[in-house]
């Protein structure tokens, strides 16, 4: 793992626009969709973090409050070039740390089945059946933060 710098990203800034591009690349374009056609105003309430190497955005991880006790992890992406080097795990541990600090008792996520193994390694357990989201199989998972 090289030197990744984590930065908080504010809604509506140029850095935020870059996260839209990254999310589009990994979450929508493969399905022929464009995230910019969606209502993204809810992002204003999301806590967004970017991973940078050599000043270039190469990863994202977000969380948002679901209820007073629960936070939802969102938008875990590591650019292809950097996958398989531990960054995904590092970002999950980072965001869980923040969620814990804020006093939430549980982290939940809507994960791709293709990434289920990663989340299970980190202690998440399935809480739903598998369902299609934008044609991709997903499931809900959660982890108690003790
Ligand atoms: C999923 C993703 C974030 C993983 O990031 P990564 O940096 O490659 O993952 P890491 O290198 O930190 O892997 C951590 C551990 O999880 C395992 N792992 C990683 N991806 C996995 C997968 N898809 N299935 C099962 N295990 C996986 C690794 O083998 C590693 O195990 P280890 O700790 O025993 O060595 C990355 O592949 C990605 O961005 N994919 C495209 C977007 C995406 O699908 N995001 C998830 C949406 S729910």
């Amino acid at each position: 793992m090289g030197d990744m710098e984590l930065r908080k990203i504010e809604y509506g800034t140029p850095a935020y626009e870059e996260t839209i591009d990254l999310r589009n690349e990994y979450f929508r374009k493969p399905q022929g969709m464009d995230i910019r056609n969606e209502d993204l105003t809810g992002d204003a309430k999301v806590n967004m973090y970017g991973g940078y190497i050599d000043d270039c955005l190469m990863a994202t991880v977000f969380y948002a409050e679901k209820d007073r006790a629960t936070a939802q992890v969102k938008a875990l992406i590591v650019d292809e070039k950097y996958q398989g080097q531990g960054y995904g795990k590092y970002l999950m541990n980072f965001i869980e740390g923040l969620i814990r600090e804020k006093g939430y008792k549980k982290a939940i996520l809507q994960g791709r089945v293709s990434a289920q193994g990663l989340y299970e390694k980190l202690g998440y357990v399935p809480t739903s059946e598998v369902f299609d989201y934008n044609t991709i199989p997903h499931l809900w998972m959660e982890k108690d933060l003790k």
Side-chain angles (χ1 to χ4, degrees):
M1 223 169 59
D3 289 337
M4 175 175 65
E5 185 195 338
L6 287 167
R7 298 182 195 158
K8 178 142 174 52
I9 292 175
E10 301 302 335
Y11 180 69
T13 60
Y16 169 70
E17 292 295 320
E18 286 183 357
T19 72
I20 298 182
D21 292 337
L22 197 64
R23 284 183 282 166
N24 221 5
E25 208 58 49
Y26 285 92
F27 292 153
R28 295 294 186 276
K29 280 194 188 165
Q31 283 69 56
M33 299 168 74
D34 187 342
I35 202 170
R36 290 183 188 276
N37 294 331
E38 297 170 25
D39 177 7
L40 296 175
T41 52
D43 284 348
K45 290 191 191 140
V46 178
N47 300 283
M48 300 181 276
Y49 295 85
Y52 292 80
I53 291 180
D54 295 333
D55 228 19
C56 289
L57 181 74
M58 46 63 74
T60 54
V61 66
F62 302 172
Y63 81 86
E65 178 167 293
K66 197 76 177 169
D67 60 50
R68 291 292 298 276
T70 314
Q72 182 177 347
V73 177
K74 299 169 108 137
L76 177 69
I77 300 173
V78 174
D79 194 7
E80 210 169 17
K81 199 169 137 193
Y82 296 102
Q83 288 176 11
Q85 299 174 45
Y87 289 110
K89 199 165 154 179
Y90 183 88
L91 290 163
M92 285 300 293
N93 286 327
F94 164 74
I95 210 79
E96 268 177 29
L98 294 182
I99 290 171
R100 247 193 214 101
E101 248 173 50
K102 294 283 175 194
Y104 297 104
K105 305 289 178 231
K106 194 167 33 169
I108 63 169
L109 59 86
Q110 179 185 296
R112 291 185 176 198
V113 170
S114 61
Q116 185 177 346
L118 163 65
Y119 297 127
E120 280 177 347
K121 273 189 177 162
L122 295 169
Y124 288 78
V125 294
T127 55
S128 78
E129 298 296 311
V130 172
F131 56 91
D132 278 351
Y133 180 72
N134 292 332
T135 76
I136 312 257
H138 278 74
L139 81 172
W140 282 97
M141 302 184 81
E142 69 173 44
K143 178 177 179 176
D144 277 330
L145 303 176
K146 294 265 164 58

